[in-house]
Amino acid sequence: MMLDFVARIAPYADITTFVVGLPTLVGTYYQSFKARQEARREREGTLHSLDCLEFISLDGECINLVPLETLHSLPREGDVILLPGDGITTARDTFVTGAFLVESVEHIYTHVVRKGARPREARLTKAVAKVTSLNPALES
């Protein structure tokens, strides 16, 4: 009796397993592939600030990130720039909107690895501008 029931549902169980199992397998593989790529980019340190101009304070804290493709030129040492920071706030660990003096600019280049690239071709991957705040200290 039980074997007869199992024999009747076996073809349907095989089809159901295939229909549910195959997309699950493909989805799992895709998610693991994306997780490996993200982990590799995180190890390289390029995940958040790739292709960006990063404004950092002299103690190393990030103030703002600006995508390189939105810039028509990079700031130079001695330029005074207006950065949005975290907006107008009085919290201690944030940067308020205001003027900053560019102390130095570092350019980071990487090799171009694509079909048709010229020998020893490089491209600007990231720029880091170290800035000093020209804003008066806010007191609460």
Side-chain angles (χ1 to χ4, degrees), residues 92-114:
R92 290 191 51 97
D93 295 337
T94 60
F95 292 95
V96 297
T97 298
F100 290 85
L101 175 67
V102 177
E103 298 289 337
S104 67
V105 179
E106 300 170 6
H107 302 91
I108 301 168
Y109 295 88
T110 58
H111 291 287
V112 174
V113 286
R114 63 176 166 79

Side-chain angles (χ1 to χ4, degrees), residues 7-124:
R8 278 192 212 164
I9 66 165
Y12 303 111
D14 288 343
I15 292 171
T16 304
T17 302
F18 180 75
V19 167
V20 171
L22 186 62
T24 303
L25 176 71
V26 170
T28 302
Y29 177 76
Y30 177 73
Q31 289 297 324
S32 68
F33 175 73
K34 295 299 275 184
R36 284 193 308 267
Q37 280 186 329
E38 185 175 333
R40 179 183 48 80
R41 286 191 307 245
E42 187 67 38
R43 279 192 309 272
E44 293 172 355
T46 59
L47 188 61
H48 300 293
S49 61
L50 180 67
D51 296 329
C52 286
L53 168 59
E54 183 175 6
F55 292 99
I56 62 170
S57 64
L58 294 178
D59 61 351
E61 288 190 67
C62 180
I63 300 171
N64 286 114
L65 286 175
V66 180
L68 288 174
E69 64 266 7
T70 63
L71 298 172
H72 58 82
S73 63
L74 291 173
R76 293 178 299 197
E77 187 176 323
D79 285 352
V80 176
I81 54 175
L82 180 66
L83 294 175
D86 292 322
I88 300 188
T89 181
T90 57
R92 290 191 51 97
D93 295 337
T94 60
F95 292 95
V96 297
T97 298
F100 290 85
L101 175 67
V102 177
E103 298 289 337
S104 67
V105 179
E106 300 170 6
H107 302 91
I108 301 168
Y109 295 88
T110 58
H111 291 287
V112 174
V113 286
R114 63 176 166 79
K115 190 175 182 176
R118 288 170 262 181
R120 294 185 289 281
E121 182 177 351
R123 68 184 282 272
L124 180 62

